[in-house]
Amino acid sequence: MIRKMAKLVFVPVLAVAVAACGGNEPEGQGAGSSSPSASGGASSPSSKPELRVLMQYSAFDPNQEYTAKVITEKTGYPVNYEMLPAENADEALNLLVLNEEPYDVMKLNAAQFYNLASSGALEPLDDLVQQLGPNIRQAIAPASWESAKIDGKIYGIPETGAGIAISEELVVRQDWLDELGLSMPTNADELYEVLKAFKEKKNVIPLTGSKDAISSLLGDIAATFGVTTDWTDVNGTLVHQVETQGMRDFLTYMNKLYSEGLLDIELPLNTNAKAIEKFSGGQAAMFKIAWYNSPATINALTENFPDARVSLVPFLKDKEGKATVYAQSGTTWYAVVPKFAKNKEDAIKFLDAKLQKDVFIELAIGKEGVHHEVKDGAYYPILPAFNDDLNNASAFMTGVDETNYPAYWQARVRKDPILQSYFEKIQANAEGLIVTDPLALAPPIPEVAKNKLNLMQLQLDYMINFIAGTEPMSNYDAFLERWREQGGAEMTEGANNWYKSSKSP
């Protein structure tokens, strides 16, 4: 049941000042020669009220951005953009809401969205979107709306991003494989033998990696043990990955690699940047490369070793001969209208105008012939205009054209031949193998939101300790007990309550 706004918890903060970046654009500053005219467009900005929009923090002045000016030109709405502070953002947001600061639109993350929606601070949007949002209704898929509902009502425009894409895959020194007469590994057993050969015959780190996140430790190898998504449906009940036999088997395998010197002994200390440095510096034979890091990695490697050749390792298969790849999906942001907004109908008209097809493509990848071009049906950036004007464009998104945005967005990976090559090869290798989390399109679940971050850190710490052997695998049950006590049991109950209710007729 929706609670009253008065129940919002006030949290004192040291820095409550919002990074207000409003004000008129100084003459001669801003987006450069391709900046749109403020007086252009189909309607005059002066005929519509100025809207006040609250964004998440980024290190730029939103009111001086090219995208901000295009939005006003295309929608006819003058807009004053402000940002939450970089630190204590949630506390600052709570204070703004308690003070009923008259924002017309706010862009919130999932936890902020749930907190304000369940406190009664947000305007339900069902009727407004139905009456004033034809472009919104067309752009957002029915499944995505489920993520924006609290007690059956819609409280935000969900922003799902650029669609499903795979970010990382194991990469290997192909020249060393060939030198040693080794075949490309296809499963965990073959990977072990290849790593042993690298250690014995090349005297390098066979496999390096980082301790930065759980996802840094999982990936291709964990998938061979059935560990992909956070949650798995077992006979209709969601089971978290830490409670699966697959996680125990994966950690046991990784500990074997570590104890035999096949996995980087410095893994518990490595950052992702350090792992890249070791691979590109010729110290390591394999690591998990991300397509967005591929230009820096491959350019550094070939600069150090001009004859080096690398290959992506096809996603490894499990004992049944099946490969799977986890892809993150779901709603990342919510565009909401506060209860105390002065211009609620105009806020929805504004959000709807941004999702008109010809407006949205310009907000996403700029003008054709200026910022992008179309070749063989694909979108390519025109540099440097694309980078100069659109580097921060995604911060202004308030919902996306879910049908077309994945194709538009790929212009961003075509800015560099290596980047494009690795992105496309990884997606091709993952075709038909992708799995997503059962909670991907769930609305914010309070028991999950409350416990997730702390439990992720606990899981990460223990995973590193189990791999490095500082915590023996015989203590895994004790870890699980601690995980459940510190919120895992509550999180699992909340996840299953939603999962089962979502399947009820």
Side-chain angles (χ1 to χ4, degrees):
M1 178 172 289
I2 300 297
R3 298 191 295 273
K4 299 297 184 184
M5 262 183 60
K7 291 187 177 179
L8 263 175
V9 177
F10 173 75
V11 181
V13 292
L14 295 176
V16 296
V18 173
C21 300
N24 298 324
E25 178 192 3
E27 187 175 357
Q29 295 184 14
S33 59
S34 56
S35 297
S37 164
S39 60
S43 57
S44 167
S46 62
S47 67
K48 297 180 178 179
E50 180 179 82
L51 301 180
R52 193 177 176 194
V53 174
L54 184 66
M55 307 168 68
Q56 299 290 315
Y57 176 80
S58 291
F60 60 83
D61 181 346
N63 292 294
Q64 302 303 319
E65 286 285 310
Y66 170 87
T67 305
K69 296 164 188 171
V70 173
I71 288 172
T72 288
E73 178 191 90
K74 297 297 182 183
T75 67
Y77 283 97
V79 183
N80 181 31
Y81 295 95
E82 300 174 23
M83 289 180 173
L84 288 168
E87 297 182 358
N88 299 317
D90 292 347
E91 291 85 346
L93 177 64
N94 278 352
L95 189 59
L96 291 170
V97 172
L98 283 170
N99 288 337
E100 299 190 3
E101 286 291 326
Y103 291 101
D104 297 298
V105 175
M106 294 176 168
K107 182 168 179 171
L108 306 179
N109 64 32
Q112 293 165 343
F113 169 72
Y114 179 80
N115 182 35
L116 297 194
S118 61
S119 300
L122 303 183
E123 184 72 14
L125 302 181
D126 304 72
D127 292 342
L128 287 170
V129 170
Q130 185 61 37
Q131 295 167 13
L132 305 171
N135 295 309
I136 296 173
R137 298 198 304 276
Q138 187 172 27
I140 309 296
S144 301
W145 285 114
E146 295 303 313
S147 69
K149 290 181 178 177
I150 305 290
D151 291 343
K153 291 186 177 181
I154 294 170
Y155 285 92
I157 311 300
E159 182 182 330
T160 52
I164 292 177
I166 305 301
S167 298
E168 300 175 320
E169 188 173 359
L170 282 173
V171 68
V172 63
R173 284 288 297 269
Q174 181 67 53
D175 53 329
W176 291 352
L177 275 182
D178 295 345
E179 175 188 333
L180 301 178
L182 301 170
S183 299
M184 185 69 77
T186 65
N187 56 43
D189 290 339
E190 293 177 7
L191 176 66
Y192 174 78
E193 296 300 330
V194 167
L195 296 177
K196 274 186 66 177
F198 279 140
K199 180 175 185 290
E200 293 168 0
K201 299 178 180 177
K202 291 298 296 180
N203 193 29
V204 296
I205 300 168
L207 172 66
T208 189
S210 82
K211 48 83 180 170
D212 286 350
I214 293 171
S215 58
S216 302
L217 302 175
L218 300 178
D220 310 41
I221 300 175
T224 69
F225 296 95
V227 182
T228 51
T229 54
D230 285 355
W231 300 90
T232 302
D233 182 330
V234 180
N235 300 321
T237 297
L238 292 182
V239 176
H240 193 271
Q241 62 179 216
V242 300
E243 304 225 43
T244 64
Q245 182 61 41
M247 179 63 86
R248 294 179 191 246
D249 294 342
F250 165 68
L251 293 173
T252 300
Y253 176 87
M254 295 295 281
N255 173 251
K256 176 181 173 67
L257 297 186
Y258 189 88
S259 62
E260 295 183 13
L262 307 182
L263 179 61
D264 192 347
I265 196 71
E266 294 182 331
L267 175 76
L269 303 174
N270 279 352
T271 61
N272 191 48
K274 190 67 178 177
I276 291 173
E277 180 184 321
K278 289 183 176 180
F279 182 78
S280 61
Q283 301 173 53
M286 299 180 72
F287 91 118
K288 194 169 57 170
I289 194 170
W291 56 261
Y292 43 82
N293 288 327
S294 60
T297 305
I298 301 304
N299 286 331
L301 177 67
T302 52
E303 183 175 337
N304 292 328
F305 306 97
D307 296 329
R309 290 180 294 115
V310 299
S311 293
L312 290 169
V313 180
F315 290 104
L316 300 172
K317 298 174 182 176
D318 61 17
K319 289 185 176 178
E320 284 70 46
K322 182 181 178 182
T324 51
V325 186
Y326 169 64
Q328 192 167 12
S329 63
T331 300
T332 306
W333 303 106
Y334 298 85
V336 306
V337 178
K339 277 277 190 186
F340 43 81
K342 289 182 176 178
N343 307 290
K344 294 174 185 173
E345 291 190 356
D346 282 294
I348 296 300
K349 291 177 183 176
F350 167 72
L351 296 174
D352 188 72
K354 291 176 66 181
L355 284 170
Q356 187 180 343
K357 285 188 178 298
D358 60 342
V359 175
F360 181 77
I361 188 173
E362 187 164 342
L363 298 182
I365 54 174
K367 296 178 185 292
E368 185 172 357
V370 176
H371 300 98
H372 74 267
E373 57 186 335
V374 183
K375 295 187 287 189
D376 299 326
Y379 299 92
Y380 285 77
I382 297 175
L383 302 176
F386 189 93
N387 286 339
D388 290 345
D389 290 343
L390 297 166
N391 253 4
N392 299 318
S394 61
F396 292 86
M397 292 287 179
T398 45
V400 301
D401 178 341
E402 295 184 13
T403 300
N404 294 304
Y405 188 48
Y408 299 159
W409 175 84
Q410 288 190 30
R412 296 182 177 277
V413 302
R414 298 187 177 111
K415 294 190 287 186
D416 179 284
I418 295 175
L419 186 74
Q420 178 182 354
S421 169
Y422 272 80
F423 176 83
E424 293 179 351
K425 285 178 184 174
I426 291 174
Q427 307 321 308
N429 288 347
E431 188 172 353
L433 310 179
I434 293 173
V435 295
T436 59
D437 197 276
L439 292 187
L441 291 174
I445 299 170
E447 295 88 348
V448 175
K450 173 184 173 184
N451 296 296
K452 187 173 182 178
L453 288 181
N454 288 339
L455 289 175
M456 286 176 67
Q457 188 61 53
L458 181 70
Q459 178 183 343
L460 175 61
D461 292 343
Y462 268 89
M463 286 178 70
I464 292 171
N465 289 339
F466 284 129
I467 290 171
T470 52
E471 192 81 40
M473 283 302 297
S474 57
N475 285 352
Y476 197 83
D477 284 338
F479 154 66
L480 271 186
E481 192 61 30
R482 185 174 178 188
W483 182 87
R484 291 168 185 147
E485 289 176 355
Q486 294 194 8
E490 182 182 36
M491 182 171 75
T492 301
E493 182 179 4
N496 273 291
N497 286 341
W498 173 83
Y499 192 59
K500 290 172 182 174
S501 68
S502 72
K503 294 182 177 303
S504 300

